[in-house]
Amino acid sequence: MNQNLHKIVGYTLILTMSSLLTACDKASAGASNVELYGSAIGGLADDEAFAIVDAGAENPVLLASNQLIDDGQTATFCDVYYAADGEAKKIGAIDDPETTAPLTYDASGIYAAGELQVLRYEVREEGVLELSEAVYIRYDETGHETFEKTTDGRTEQITEEEFLALSEKAQKAELILFHYGASGS
């Protein structure tokens, strides 16, 4: 698809989706998702799909991925864009090789999970992507498992129940569904 046609299709999709995404449209000063992310979506590569989610930040968050799973609807990693100061900027990526479950989100953030870990990312008001909470299963040389939690750069031992609590929260969160172009496929 040539670049101009890609942008036209992207803008058409944005206009169509803006009416469907009112739940995510709590942007500051009443800006719409089209106003916040139209140019960023138009600039995505042909093989990148996107999703706009309300993950507890002041504005909705734009996610983009070029490697979808589950019949091209979900992803285990993505680039993260955020609109602040009148411009949508890439603020980081959720890309951990241990993530095996599709990304999810709720009002407290975006979750990336695997068999041995659960990571919760937040987008701060100033447009910073931060790993705000992480829980892990660790094994020592004898195969004994322990559970750890890392927050604010500090790691502490936790119980299995505490690990499972964040894991359950990530599983119950909303699945992030990605879409390509105006067809949504």
Side-chain angles (χ1 to χ4, degrees), residues 35-148:
E35 293 169 318
L36 292 172
Y37 295 115
S39 61
I41 292 171
L44 295 175
D46 289 345
D47 65 342
E48 286 184 285
F50 70 92
I52 299 175
V53 300
D54 185 1
E58 181 178 338
N59 292 325
V61 179
L62 171 66
L63 308 173
S65 183
N66 64 358
Q67 292 189 8
L68 301 185
I69 59 173
D70 296 337
D71 297 324
Q73 291 287 296
T74 63
T76 58
F77 73 89
C78 64
D79 290 327
V80 180
Y81 296 81
Y82 190 68
D85 300 325
E87 183 180 1
K89 295 179 185 174
K90 181 177 172 185
I91 60 170
I94 297 173
D95 185 8
D96 186 289
E98 299 297 320
T99 298
T100 56
L103 298 171
T104 60
Y105 75 99
D106 64 16
S108 69
I110 300 167
Y111 298 92
E115 291 181 34
L116 303 177
Q117 69 177 24
V118 180
L119 312 174
R120 184 175 59 84
Y121 293 86
E122 292 181 24
V123 175
R124 301 287 182 206
E125 258 183 62
E126 60 277 2
V128 174
L129 179 66
E130 181 179 280
L131 177 58
S132 57
E133 184 176 18
V135 293
Y136 305 94
I137 300 175
R138 303 284 192 212
Y139 292 95
D140 64 18
E141 60 279 347
T142 65
H144 180 260
E145 66 183 13
T146 58
F147 301 89
E148 295 178 353

